[in-house]
Amino acid sequence: MEDERISISVDQHEEEEPLIAAEKPNRQAIIQVGGMTCSNCSGAVERALNQLPAVERCQVDLINEKACVTYRCLPADKSADEIEGDFTTAKELCEEIEDIGFEASLIEDLEVNPAEKARARATLHVSIMEDGRQDDLASIKEMTKIRGVLEVIPQDSDQVRLDYNPFEVGARDLLAAVRAKGYKAKTEEASGKAEASFWDTIPTGLPTAVLLTMSIVLVAEVLPCFHHCKKFLHKEILPGLSCLTLVLCVLATPVQLYCGWRFHAGAYHSIRSGVWDMNLLISLGTAICFSYSLVIVLLKIASTHVVGYNMECKGPPVSYFESPCLVITFILVGKYLEAWAKSGASQSLRNLMELKPAQAHLLLDGDLDRPSAQSEHIPLELLQIGDVVQVFPGDKAPADGIMSSKSGSAEFDESLLTGESRPVTKKPGDVIIGGSTCISGRVELRVEKLGSSTMLSQITSLVQHAQLSRAPVQQVADFVAQMFVPGIVMLALLTWTVWYILVYVLDKVPMSTILHGQNSHWPELDRAFFVLEHGLTVLLVACPCALGLATPTAVMAATGVAAKNGILVRSGAVPLELGSKVKKIVLDKTGTLTTGKPQVVGMVAIAPRPSDEAEPGWKELLAAFRQACHNKTGRRIAFATEHVTTWIANFAEKPKVEKPKVLREDSPESGSDGSTTASETASDESSSRKLRLSLPGSRAKDSERKRDEAEQALWWALGSAELSSEHPLAKEVVAVSEDKARCPLIKPESFENVTGVGLLATLPGGLKVEVASAGHILQKGEGKYPADLKEWVEINKTRGATVIAIAVQDVPLGCVAMRDKLAPNARACVAHLEMQGIEVWMCSGDHQQAAEMVARECGIDSSRVVAEALPSDKVKTVKRLQDESTVVAMVGDGVNDAPALAAADLGVAIGAGQNVMVDAADIVLVRSDLQDLLAFFDLSKQTLRTIWFNFTWAFAFNLCALPVAAGAFWKYDVMMTPQIACTLMLGSSLFVVMTSLLLKNYKRPELPCHV
């Protein structure tokens, strides 16, 4: 960080320390925001926080009511005078949210260091027991000096949160360090994690509103049906003021002022912030009715008892006390039902978070398989890397790890994590995913990952961040919602104006029609009520919430369903929208269209000279191999191999080798000189599976033994060089090398991975080994190998094999042919994509013949095959397709696909397994199954259809309801009361939410054919 700071001199004549330029955003706060009802509300929070100079980025999740804010905070060891720039704190961010009318509470506030983004982070909550020192936690803050401790955050007077890297320090070690400082400490779960009770989910004031509103309905509608009650209720306490009016006023006032306060406060803050929302419509509609009624009642009381003048005017209608209370109660009930429905959209995320168990069974005995091995129940937070825990049937694995049981097997349910519906059998040495449920068998698990590095934490983080983003289609709704409320207010004013003109100026509405045949003591007041009611109904029936909820509820449900099916949407709503618009898709070959597990099918090597002085390359290799095997005492054993080695005589010298008398076939047909041509070797593929014997005490010729040693040395060099490689081919090469070399492989002293080409490695003793594509090696070593070597390579390429070559000391010594199998249902998936109108391309780093062979098997046109492509070539292919103004998706599984994944409109990483945090990808498919890709495209289309259906419903509802509310059909006796308007408004929002929840019933599409 020190290198990034820029010193600025304030005044050369004054001896002042230079200011330090403002640092990059260094903290991220997650804030719970209460009171948001629609996209206008979430937009207001985003705009308010993004306007702060110290805030870099703010994203608001409307459904979960959370805000994620990245901001600059003043370092603890610096003062505001020492650093230039603007800074803020999480507390100030919460205050800013509260200033615009929303509730805000801090959930977490973490340090963000881009350089350490990939570092694991775990959390330990320590409770300081009462020992007289809980108010002095200064010494605990000094624990940041301990290696691995990332941050110490005091939370309460007696609780401290420790964030640490579990790969550098253990939780139990940290707890011991706290106790070593004299504190009586124990672990404690983080506060606020408990499941909210039923009463906690009920909006404030809802029980009171329901009780009082029911009483109002009882007094206003039921009791007047009884003669004695009616006589009492209509008894006038003051001239024009009946008992009924006074009782209704007393019951309605708490509903309006206490239960409806959230709407009035929200309306005030929306006017103050300039972002008008639904609170303004509700507050205007209910306040106008109630205020008029209350003013009349107060004037009657004041005029009689204070002024001494009896104000003989008509009391307010019963409906003007009843209607505001019904509106507020209906809205509070509707918001509760809406919140319940929206919570169903995030149920998948909660299911993921619940997979983490609270405790683990830690084994205390080193002998794992002994029945007497003892275990201890410890909190999950106290697990450390390397711990061995027991997992019993029905238990969930507490962390990612390796099955360390010495024998046996077990079945685990990984459906919520990977989408794999069938139980997965685990054997000793297999990876067990934390959160998966053990179905059968007792398992010992050695912990390998904790905290944020576990697959469960990564999936949860991806889903949470996906729900923060907004789809481009949401921009339409945001714009409409932003203009909606001001438009509705203008429409209400226009409605009042038009009806005032019709009733008072033009006198087009007769009094008998207004009164519906009833008598009136104050006709003019009834006319005013008639005009006022139409405008109020317009305010109450308008529903911006349906527009605001159309996209986020659908995205929430879709991302949850996708995660359940092993499809992780990293970038939220944007990939879901793009997935429905993909017209061209570029597929990588290895690991996407094929299984990604190529097998060695053949090897060719340049035979070393039988003389003692071997040529360059072989000489250094054999010396290094003998040195590596110097301390290994072993005897040759008989073993079976899936392939044979073809020997090609050096073009400089072709010694005649007598045919050995032992059972040994180095090639299908051996010539008189001990060598074969490449065409003879490759002509019969069935001859590649032979049994090769090398028995101790045999009388094989010296040349035969040297050739055998050379073969082992070549495999030894090849396997040792590939030990540090992460390429998919490397695992197969290492596995075969360990079998063929019959000598321990050695990790390279230095290793360089040349992306898209191969690798360079230096083995102990300075032996330089290069493993790369055959074309690259043979081009560099032109003139250093016989022509038969190149012929062997070309023949195997025509058969679809991938050929890699090995060079020692820059001298080519041999090649290995590897062939991959077609992935299950690859051809059917390609056919399905073509039927959906998606143009399928294949881009591979493999040679042309192998790529075209796989393309033919999958049904991809050869004109859409790009072979021998470097990472830059894959990017160029994607860019070229994008130039045709179409949405292009890229699907790959390797590191060399990352640039193309980032360049494509939609990057899809397939077969990620536990490595779900693929930065370059927008979509991560946990399994290597192309059917998951089809499922994502189908889900994205259904999600976009749901979003547009919600939009259509919201627009159609308002277009149909507003004219009726404004009284456009009054002439035909079609009118809308405030109660009906409120019910319709709430029904519109609930309809949108329930429609989005239908996505939870999504079923994967069946392939139309299986090839």
Side-chain angles (χ1 to χ4, degrees):
M1 297 297 296
E2 294 295 331
D3 296 334
E4 298 178 1
R5 295 176 178 175
I6 305 173
S7 298
I8 303 175
S9 177
V10 180
D11 190 342
Q12 295 181 355
H13 301 286
E14 297 180 7
E15 297 181 358
E16 294 183 0
E17 293 185 1
L19 294 178
I20 300 175
E23 296 183 351
K24 295 180 179 180
N26 54 8
R27 297 197 73 84
Q28 187 178 77
I30 306 296
I31 302 173
Q32 190 77 38
V33 183
M36 294 190 298
T37 57
C38 61
S39 59
N40 267 354
C41 303
S42 60
V45 175
E46 283 189 357
R47 284 189 289 272
L49 294 182
N50 281 324
Q51 289 175 358
L52 299 178
V55 173
E56 175 70 16
R57 183 177 65 257
C58 173
Q59 294 176 299
V60 179
D61 179 2
L62 173 63
I63 306 300
N64 290 317
E65 296 186 327
K66 292 181 181 178
C68 179
V69 189
T70 305
Y71 67 98
R72 289 186 297 272
C73 180
L74 187 66
D77 57 343
K78 301 291 183 181
S79 64
D81 297 333
E82 295 177 313
I83 300 182
E84 185 184 60
D86 297 291
F87 302 95
T88 188
T89 62
K91 182 179 180 181
E92 292 175 353
L93 295 176
C94 293
E95 292 174 352
E96 184 67 24
I97 295 176
E98 291 172 349
D99 286 343
I100 59 175
F102 300 98
E103 301 173 0
S105 60
L106 183 65
I107 298 177
E108 66 178 13
D109 185 23
L110 300 176
E111 183 177 2
V112 178
N113 189 347
E116 299 178 356
K117 184 178 180 180
R119 291 184 63 182
R121 178 185 287 262
T123 302
L124 175 66
H125 293 86
V126 179
S127 178
I128 308 299
M129 301 173 63
E130 293 186 6
D131 61 348
R133 297 194 59 190
Q134 65 267 29
D135 295 331
D136 181 17
L137 301 177
S139 59
I140 290 186
K141 295 181 180 180
E142 296 178 357
M143 292 185 64
T144 52
K145 299 178 181 179
I146 299 176
R147 175 180 173 82
V149 177
L150 305 178
E151 197 169 6
V152 178
I153 308 173
Q155 292 187 314
D156 298 324
S157 61
D158 61 346
Q159 193 177 55
V160 176
R161 169 178 156 179
L162 301 173
D163 290 350
Y164 65 98
N165 187 338
F167 293 98
E168 295 181 357
V169 65
R172 296 194 296 275
D173 299 332
L174 289 178
L175 185 61
V178 173
R179 291 171 177 168
K181 292 182 177 293
Y183 295 98
K184 294 181 181 180
K186 65 176 182 179
T187 58
E188 184 171 312
E189 287 293 329
S191 59
K193 288 186 178 181
E195 186 73 19
S197 65
F198 169 77
W199 295 106
D200 293 335
T201 61
I202 296 178
T204 302
L206 177 57
T208 304
V210 172
L211 180 62
L212 293 179
T213 301
M214 290 178 61
S215 301
I216 291 173
V217 174
L218 180 66
V219 171
E221 306 294 341
V222 179
L223 292 183
C225 297
F226 300 95
H227 177 70
H228 298 290
C229 296
K230 181 178 181 180
K231 185 177 180 180
F232 171 77
L233 292 175
H234 286 81
K235 183 179 180 180
E236 291 188 347
I237 301 174
L238 297 173
L241 181 62
S242 65
C243 291
L244 176 62
T245 302
L246 185 60
V247 171
L248 291 178
C249 180
V250 172
L251 293 175
T253 300
V255 177
Q256 181 70 28
L257 299 182
Y258 169 66
C259 303
W261 177 253
R262 56 181 293 182
F263 305 116
H264 306 315
Y268 166 75
H269 289 290
S270 67
I271 296 175
R272 181 181 174 187
S273 63
V275 181
W276 294 6
D277 56 17
M278 191 192 71
N279 291 320
L280 182 62
L281 300 180
I282 298 172
S283 180
L284 278 176
T286 59
I288 290 175
C289 289
F290 178 79
S291 298
Y292 169 81
S293 305
L294 184 63
V295 167
I296 294 296
V297 172
L298 294 177
L299 285 177
K300 281 181 173 292
I301 297 174
S303 63
T304 303
H305 296 281
V306 178
V307 183
Y309 171 76
N310 183 17
M311 181 180 178
E312 296 183 357
C313 65
K314 180 183 178 183
V318 172
S319 62
Y320 271 53
F321 277 122
E322 183 182 5
S323 295
C325 297
L326 285 172
V327 167
I328 290 174
T329 303
F330 282 171
I331 291 176
L332 289 176
V333 173
K335 289 303 173 184
Y336 170 72
L337 295 176
E338 185 180 299
W340 169 79
K342 288 191 294 185
S343 67
S346 59
Q347 183 62 42
S348 298
L349 178 59
R350 291 198 300 275
N351 290 340
L352 283 174
M353 300 178 70
E354 290 172 359
L355 289 178
K356 186 169 61 175
Q359 289 190 327
H361 308 284
L362 177 65
L363 277 177
L364 303 178
D365 198 305
D367 192 351
L368 303 180
D369 285 346
R370 283 178 51 188
S372 60
Q374 298 180 353
S375 64
E376 177 185 1
H377 293 264
I378 65 171
L380 187 65
E381 285 191 346
L382 290 182
L383 276 183
Q384 297 184 169
I385 300 296
D387 283 346
V388 178
V389 297
Q390 284 182 320
V391 183
F392 297 95
D395 290 349
K396 294 180 173 64
D400 293 359
I402 303 295
M403 181 173 172
S404 57
S405 305
K406 295 182 179 178
S407 61
S409 62
E411 290 186 336
F412 279 79
D413 179 8
E414 300 177 350
S415 57
L416 283 176
L417 293 165
T418 65
E420 180 60 57
S421 58
R422 295 173 296 180
V424 180
T425 302
K426 300 293 183 180
K427 297 179 180 179
D430 288 349
V431 175
I432 297 177
I433 303 174
S436 58
T437 304
C438 180
I439 298 178
S440 63
R442 183 180 67 88
V443 173
E444 281 78 34
L445 170 69
R446 186 176 70 251
V447 177
E448 298 287 334
K449 294 181 180 179
L450 286 172
S452 62
S453 62
T454 63
M455 183 177 181
L456 177 59
S457 295
Q458 292 177 359
I459 291 177
T460 304
S461 176
L462 287 178
V463 175
Q464 287 176 331
H465 283 82
Q467 294 168 355
L468 287 172
S469 62
R470 296 187 177 188
V473 69
Q474 177 68 17
Q475 297 175 1
V476 178
D478 290 343
F479 175 77
V480 174
Q482 189 173 354
M483 306 300 297
F484 186 84
V485 176
I488 293 300
V489 173
M490 296 299 296
L491 179 61
L493 293 175
L494 179 63
T495 301
W496 283 324
T497 302
V498 170
W499 279 107
Y500 177 83
I501 294 174
L502 290 175
V503 173
Y504 286 98
V505 179
L506 301 179
D507 198 18
K508 294 291 185 178
V509 182
M511 196 67 204
S512 58
T513 305
I514 296 176
L515 298 176
H516 298 286
Q518 298 179 358
N519 296 324
S520 174
H521 298 287
W522 197 298
E524 291 302 320
L525 197 57
D526 286 317
R527 296 176 71 184
F529 288 160
F530 179 80
V531 172
L532 187 63
E533 188 174 71
H534 287 91
L536 293 177
T537 307
V538 169
L539 291 175
L540 294 175
V541 79
C543 184
C545 293
L547 288 171
L549 294 172
T551 298
T553 52
V555 171
M556 177 75 71
T559 52
V561 169
K564 187 177 180 180
N565 285 274
I567 305 169
L568 304 180
V569 185
R570 297 191 71 250
S571 305
V574 177
L576 284 171
E577 182 172 347
L578 291 176
S580 63
K581 301 178 180 179
V582 171
K583 294 301 179 183
K584 295 184 179 180
I585 186 170
V586 182
L587 303 176
D588 182 41
K589 180 179 77 70
T590 304
T592 303
L593 291 171
T594 62
T595 60
K597 298 178 180 179
Q599 299 175 344
V600 175
V601 295
M603 182 181 187
V604 65
I606 301 174
R609 298 173 184 174
S611 59
D612 292 335
E613 296 181 359
E615 59 269 34
W618 280 115
K619 180 179 180 181
E620 293 84 351
L621 173 58
L622 291 173
F625 176 70
R626 290 163 185 164
Q627 180 65 30
C629 300
H630 178 68
N631 297 325
K632 180 178 180 293
T633 59
R635 46 194 289 253
R636 297 178 180 180
I637 59 174
F639 64 94
T641 179
E642 292 292 327
H643 59 86
V644 295
T645 299
T646 301
W647 291 98
I648 298 177
N650 194 309
F651 66 93
E653 179 182 357
K654 292 187 178 181
K656 292 188 179 254
V657 180
E658 183 179 350
K659 186 175 180 65
K661 297 179 181 180
V662 296
L663 179 59
R664 175 185 176 90
E665 293 195 16
D666 282 340
S667 61
E669 294 183 10
S670 299
S672 59
D673 60 352
S675 64
T676 62
T677 63
S679 58
E680 291 172 338
T681 301
S683 61
D684 187 7
E685 185 175 0
S686 63
S687 65
S688 64
R689 302 179 181 270
K690 297 293 182 179
L691 181 66
R692 184 169 57 127
L693 300 178
S694 182
L695 303 176
S698 64
R699 297 182 177 180
K701 296 296 183 180
D702 183 64
S703 60
E704 183 71 16
R705 288 195 296 269
K706 286 187 175 181
R707 183 175 293 182
D708 185 61
E709 182 187 31
E711 180 184 359
Q712 296 178 40
L714 195 60
W715 280 111
W716 172 81
L718 185 60
S720 298
E722 293 280 10
L723 272 179
S724 300
S725 175
E726 297 180 356
H727 195 278
L729 300 179
K731 294 182 180 180
E732 171 69 8
V733 171
V734 170
V736 174
S737 298
E738 290 176 340
D739 179 39
K740 299 282 287 182
R742 288 177 277 175
C743 180
L745 304 182
I746 299 178
K747 196 168 184 180
E749 292 180 345
S750 64
F751 176 85
E752 180 183 358
N753 183 23
V754 183
T755 305
V757 177
L759 61 88
L760 295 172
T762 302
L763 302 183
L767 186 69
K768 180 182 176 183
V769 179
E770 182 178 8
V771 182
S773 63
H776 177 76
I777 295 288
L778 298 183
Q779 183 179 4
K780 285 182 60 179
E782 190 71 37
K784 299 181 181 180
Y785 58 88
D788 286 348
L789 181 62
K790 192 170 185 179
E791 183 182 354
W792 186 93
V793 170
E794 294 300 326
I795 291 176
N796 278 276
K797 283 184 176 181
T798 58
R799 295 183 172 181
T802 298
V803 183
I804 61 174
I806 177 173
V808 178
Q809 304 297 107
D810 295 326
V811 178
L813 295 185
C815 298
V816 176
M818 306 181 72
R819 191 175 302 156
D820 202 354
K821 295 181 180 179
L822 205 64
N825 299 318
R827 182 177 178 85
C829 290
V830 170
H832 184 78
L833 290 172
E834 294 281 0
M835 286 190 294
Q836 295 294 320
I838 300 177
E839 189 176 295
V840 181
W841 286 67
M842 189 183 79
C843 194
S844 173
D846 214 338
H847 57 84
Q848 188 71 33
Q849 294 93 331
E852 290 182 352
M853 183 174 181
V854 173
R856 285 195 300 270
E857 293 177 352
C858 293
I860 300 176
D861 193 287
S862 59
S863 63
R864 300 175 187 168
V865 177
V866 180
E868 300 180 6
L870 298 174
S872 58
D873 297 325
K874 295 182 179 181
V875 173
K876 291 178 182 177
T877 301
V878 171
K879 294 289 187 183
R880 187 176 75 250
L881 296 178
Q882 288 175 329
D883 290 340
E884 301 174 11
S885 301
T886 57
V887 178
V888 179
M890 171 70 194
V891 184
D893 73 321
V895 177
N896 57 348
D897 297 322
L901 292 176
D905 299 301
L906 184 67
V908 182
I910 188 171
Q914 286 186 293
N915 184 28
V916 298
M917 299 297 286
V918 185
D919 291 336
D922 302 302
I923 304 297
V924 179
L925 307 181
V926 179
R927 298 177 296 179
S928 298
D929 191 349
L930 276 176
Q931 292 189 73
D932 289 345
L933 180 65
L934 301 182
F936 166 73
F937 285 146
D938 185 64
L939 177 61
S940 63
K941 290 179 181 178
Q942 289 200 27
T943 302
L944 202 64
R945 283 197 296 267
T946 300
I947 291 174
W948 280 112
F949 178 81
N950 289 341
F951 282 160
T952 303
W953 163 259
F955 281 114
F957 168 80
N958 285 289
L959 287 175
C960 295
L962 287 173
V964 176
F969 304 99
W970 167 80
K971 187 176 181 180
Y972 305 99
D973 291 331
V974 178
M975 297 183 64
M976 186 182 297
T977 65
Q979 294 92 328
I980 296 176
C982 183
T983 303
L984 290 176
M985 184 268 290
L986 294 174
S988 175
S989 297
L990 283 175
F991 182 82
V992 166
V993 175
M994 299 306 293
T995 301
S996 298
L997 287 181
L998 292 177
L999 287 171
K1000 296 180 65 176
N1001 300 324
Y1002 171 79
K1003 301 295 182 183
R1004 298 164 65 95
E1006 295 291 337
L1007 286 176
C1009 59
H1010 294 274
V1011 181

